[in-house]
């Protein structure tokens, strides 16, 4: 009888049995593994770092695969200073890239996420992850890749075959774009990638606009205006719900409350510009905000201003100091993320006794649609309070993905030990409700695969299945990820 190993995901409480866990260090080793598995029709499950926390971590969708972690293939191969293109292996983490850039005096943004320095660049982009630094939508920064198909055939992006440099210049390539078919797919293992990096601007200011729920329409207006203006270098738009903070604030002395936003919601975004252009850009943005007549003022924070506020607070008596320090530390971390550095601030939502699943529905950037989605979330919160859903919705964060789309990211926390079929019945219930109202998440936990694609877009995913079957008839690579 074959020996199997159990691998666990502390975030979902799920465990899967795998035949082996292998850590190759070269692409030749990867090719040999693929060739052997293909000959024996055995499934392989590839991860870059396996830290897809809240989306299944590094676990295969089903029992019986060999898990292959590419985390030891972590070479930064080259950096083209002229084009801002970095060539990396899949195991390169955000923290490693940040150190490399700092050590080499390269002033570029790291494509970061709330997952912190241990998340990989390639794995996150292949999942279509997003973050706050430009380019926010990480799959868009993926210029070209090398890898292997299930029968061991090497894959190179179209123009890389002509000239590797040209391949990274024009990712659309020629003919149908197969590169566009790589993120969230399961027909190719990626062993190398070129990623576009963006040079850091001279100044990065974070703008903080507290607002009340009835002002969501004005915020949608503001976001549409700002994201449509090519003359205004604004980005990294996040709407954060502050209910948790608000609960804490109610217990605070009045004097402290005066320094902190008194609204349920905060819009944060970044102005990134040269020193020379900072003033006219900021006054243009301030004018747009003023015209929309919000109840509260927008404040602008540079890293210098945050540093000065922190110094000032450090001089206060200790009772006040400890209360004011936390919001300032959070603000500094938010600024770090917007400035393309790594931060662990996202982990504040985690508790050791809780599991986590993300639910991240996409929404048209219009006040009507945002209102409809908000009402669904209100209903879920009432159901959670009545124990009809096992989840606590820890925070609500809305992220602008482009001029037309905003994604609501909900971390669903649940007590570890809750029966997994209750978790999935509830998750499926929430998905169904989203679908009925015309919403869909942009990304799914791997253990929801058996029901997700059938529920969300069955016709589309059956076509994907036909195409992937042609490329990988024995389902050797990442079987069942993103189709049933
Ligand atoms: C507190 C917290 C905050 C988070 N914030 C964010 C956030 O802001 N943005 C965000 O996007 N995510 C976020 N995440 C989710 C997740 O942790 C990150 O996306 C993380 O970067 C994914 O893990 P990884 O980079 O190790 O990718 P992996 O787990 O290695 O890869 C993800 C998936 O991609 C496929 N894949 C990976 N590598 C390959 C390869 N070489 N060839 C073929 N297929 C491959 C596999 O299907 C794999 O399961 C957060 C998680 C937590 C807990």
């Amino acid at each position: 009888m074959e020996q199997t190993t159990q691998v666990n995901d502390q975030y979902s409480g799920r465990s899967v049995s795998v035949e082996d866990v292998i850590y190759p260090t070269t692409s030749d080793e990867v090719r040999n593994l693929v060739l052997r598995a293909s000959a024996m029709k055995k499934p392989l499950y590839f991860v870059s770092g396996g830290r897809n926390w809240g989306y299944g971590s590094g676990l295969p969708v089903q029992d019986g695969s060999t898990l292959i972690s590419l985390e030891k293939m972590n070479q930064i191969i080259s950096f083209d200073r002229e084009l801002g293109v970095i060539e990396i292996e899949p195991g390169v983490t955000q923290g490693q890239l940040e150190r490399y850039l700092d050590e080499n005096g390269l002033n570029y943004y790291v494509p970061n996420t709330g997952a912190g320095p241990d998340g990989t660049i390639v794995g996150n982009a292949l999942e279509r992850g997003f973050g706050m630094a430009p380019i926010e939508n990480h799959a868009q920064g993926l210029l070209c890749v090398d890898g292997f198909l299930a029968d061991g055939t090497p894959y190179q992006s179209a123009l890389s075959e002509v000239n590797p440099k040209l391949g990274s210049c024009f990712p659309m390539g020629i003919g149908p774009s197969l590169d566009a078919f790589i993120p969230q797919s399961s027909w190719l293992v990626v062993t190398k990638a070129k990623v576009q990096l963006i040079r850091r601007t001279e100044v990065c200011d974070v703008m903080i606009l507290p607002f009340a729920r009835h002002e969501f329409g004005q915020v949608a207006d503001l976001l549409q205006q700002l994201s449509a203006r090519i003359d205004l270098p604004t980005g990294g738009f996040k709407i954060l719900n502050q209910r948790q903070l608000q609960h804490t604030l109610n217990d605070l002395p009045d004097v402290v409350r005066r320094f902190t936003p008194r609204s349920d919601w905060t819009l944060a975004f970044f102005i990134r510009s040269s020193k020379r252009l900072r003033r006219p850009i900021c006054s243009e943005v301030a004018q747009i905000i003023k015209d929309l007549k919000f109840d509260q003022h927008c404040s602008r924070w540079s890293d210098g201003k945050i540093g000065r506020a922190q110094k000032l607070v450090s001089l206060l008596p200790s009772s006040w100091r400890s209360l004011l320090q936390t919001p300032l530390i959070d603000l500094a971390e938010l600024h770090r993320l917007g400035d393309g550095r790594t931060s662990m601030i996202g982990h504040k939502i985690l508790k050791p006794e809780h599991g986590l699943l993300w639910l991240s529905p996409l929404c048209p950037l219009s006040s009507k649609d945002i209102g409809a989605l908000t009402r669904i979330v209100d209903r879920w919160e009432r159901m959670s309070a009545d124990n009809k859903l096992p989840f606590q919705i820890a925070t609500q964060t809305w992220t602008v993905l482009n001029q037309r789309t905003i994604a609501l990211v909900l971390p669903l926390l649940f007590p570890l030990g809750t029966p997994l079929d209750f978790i999935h019945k509830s998750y499926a219930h929430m998905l169904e409700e989203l679908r009925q109202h015309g919403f869909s998440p942009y990304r799914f936990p791997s253990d929801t695969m058996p029901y997700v694609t059938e529920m969300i877009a069955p016709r589309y995913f059956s076509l994907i299945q036909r195409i992937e079957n042609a490329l990988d008839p024995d389902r050797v690579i990442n079987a069942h990820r993103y189709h049933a």
Side-chain angles (χ1 to χ4, degrees):
M1 216 174 77
E2 291 223 29
Q3 287 265 314
T4 58
T5 311
Q6 287 296 122
V7 284
N8 305 310
D9 172 19
Q10 68 176 104
Y11 291 89
S12 68
R14 194 168 73 106
S15 98
V16 167
S17 75
V18 296
E19 291 205 351
D20 204 354
V21 184
I22 302 179
Y23 299 86
T25 54
T26 65
S27 61
D28 280 348
E29 273 179 69
V30 173
R31 180 155 193 249
N32 288 336
L33 287 164
V34 172
L35 284 172
R36 206 171 327 132
S38 171
M40 295 165 71
K41 299 191 190 328
K42 292 268 196 184
L44 303 176
Y45 197 85
F46 289 95
V47 295
S48 288
R51 300 182 190 95
N52 206 11
W53 302 314
Y55 289 109
S57 296
L59 264 56
V61 178
Q62 292 182 341
D63 289 326
S65 301
T66 295
L67 178 59
I68 306 198
S69 168
L70 304 178
E71 66 186 80
K72 293 195 175 153
M73 288 175 63
N74 62 355
Q75 298 298 310
I76 295 176
I77 299 162
S78 64
F79 182 66
D80 184 330
R81 288 175 189 242
E82 230 179 339
L83 302 180
V85 173
I86 194 139
E87 187 176 21
I88 52 175
E89 289 187 323
V92 171
T93 62
Q94 294 168 28
Q96 185 187 347
L97 179 59
E98 184 175 25
R99 281 193 301 280
Y100 170 88
L101 294 172
D102 285 348
E103 282 163 17
N104 290 284
L106 298 165
N107 200 17
Y108 289 79
Y109 299 106
V110 173
N112 57 15
T113 68
D118 292 337
T120 65
I121 305 290
V122 171
N124 181 265
L126 290 176
E127 270 278 298
R128 296 213 181 91
F130 51 77
M132 265 193 215
I135 307 164
E136 285 115 331
N137 214 331
H138 295 156
Q140 275 172 9
L142 212 53
L143 301 176
C144 55
V145 303
D146 283 9
F148 297 105
L149 275 79
D151 63 359
T153 307
Y155 176 86
Q156 257 193 326
S157 302
L159 289 169
S160 305
E161 208 175 316
V162 181
N163 168 1
K165 190 167 181 180
L166 194 61
S168 61
C169 292
F170 194 64
M172 291 284 279
I174 31 171
S177 175
L178 284 180
D179 278 19
F181 189 50
I182 296 173
Q184 297 192 350
S185 75
S186 44
W187 59 277
L188 184 81
V189 46
V190 173
T191 51
K192 208 163 67 176
K194 287 190 182 170
V195 176
Q196 178 72 66
L197 297 186
I198 304 289
R199 199 184 288 271
R200 193 173 273 121
T201 52
E202 274 182 311
V203 292
C204 170
D205 293 337
V206 56
M207 309 292 286
I208 299 288
L209 175 64
F211 67 95
R213 186 171 170 142
H214 69 265
E215 293 174 306
F216 244 109
Q218 282 138 281
V219 171
D221 241 16
L222 174 63
L223 293 174
Q224 278 163 356
Q225 287 193 43
L226 290 180
S227 51
R229 292 275 298 259
I230 55 166
D231 56 337
L232 289 180
T234 53
F237 301 98
K238 293 264 173 201
I239 298 173
L240 309 154
N241 144 280
Q242 284 186 332
R243 206 163 354 114
Q244 284 73 18
L245 179 66
Q246 213 61 27
H247 284 314
T248 333
L249 289 182
N250 286 337
D251 301 331
L252 298 182
D254 250 8
V255 63
V256 174
R257 241 181 296 163
R258 262 193 283 143
F259 284 100
T260 43
R262 269 158 291 164
S263 288
D264 277 350
W265 297 90
T266 298
L267 169 68
F269 64 95
F270 298 86
I271 295 180
R272 304 179 183 101
S273 71
S274 64
K275 281 185 188 152
R276 209 155 43 88
L277 291 178
R278 178 194 235 165
R279 195 185 285 263
I281 289 165
C282 290
S283 58
E284 183 70 17
V285 170
Q287 188 60 50
I288 296 173
I289 293 174
K290 195 170 164 219
D291 290 347
L292 286 165
K293 299 192 184 345
F294 285 94
D295 289 348
Q296 296 197 51
H297 290 293
C298 184
S299 58
R300 177 163 64 86
W301 296 82
S302 62
D303 53 347
K305 185 172 169 188
I306 296 170
R308 284 193 296 281
Q310 282 178 319
K311 254 194 208 132
L312 215 76
V313 165
S314 71
L315 303 174
L316 294 174
S318 68
S319 51
W320 291 9
R321 197 187 323 140
S322 57
L323 293 170
L324 283 173
Q325 249 163 4
T326 313
L328 278 174
I329 292 171
D330 288 355
L331 188 61
E333 290 304 293
L334 187 71
H335 187 278
R336 269 183 71 76
L337 281 172
D339 202 27
R341 301 201 164 273
T342 61
S343 164
M344 289 292 282
I345 191 178
H347 288 251
K348 272 185 101 170
I349 52 160
L350 299 175
K351 299 193 181 115
E353 67 278 15
H354 280 148
L356 163 72
L357 282 181
W358 295 104
L359 186 63
S360 314
L362 298 165
C363 177
L365 183 45
S366 81
S367 52
K368 185 165 165 269
D369 292 291
I370 292 173
L373 187 48
T374 308
R375 282 191 292 280
I376 295 176
V377 178
D378 287 345
R379 204 156 44 243
W380 289 341
E381 297 209 308
R382 283 196 299 275
M383 288 174 73
S384 297
D386 296 342
N387 290 325
K388 289 182 186 150
L389 285 177
F391 305 122
Q392 178 199 331
I393 299 175
T395 52
Q396 292 184 39
T397 307
W398 298 76
T399 300
V400 174
L401 297 186
N402 60 35
Q403 199 185 327
R404 304 163 303 278
T405 323
I406 189 162
L408 171 59
V409 180
L410 301 174
L412 306 179
L413 301 183
F414 55 93
L416 281 172
T418 311
L420 284 179
D421 53 346
F422 181 36
I423 299 289
H424 284 292
K425 231 170 123 187
S426 309
Y427 197 88
H429 167 88
M430 293 162 97
L431 278 184
E432 180 55 26
E433 190 163 1
L434 286 175
R435 198 193 58 80
Q436 279 174 9
H437 289 85
F439 299 110
S440 164
Y442 84 102
R443 175 177 175 187
F444 294 103
S446 55
D447 46 334
T448 61
M449 283 303 125
Y451 52 88
V452 146
T453 51
E454 267 298 299
M455 278 179 75
I456 295 295
R459 277 197 306 276
Y460 183 79
F461 280 102
S462 77
L463 176 59
I464 296 296
Q465 195 164 336
R466 277 168 57 193
I467 299 171
E468 291 198 348
N469 278 350
L471 294 171
D472 183 2
D474 299 315
R475 302 211 168 163
V476 172
I477 294 180
N478 290 18
H480 304 291
R481 188 67 175 127
Y482 287 104
H483 60 73

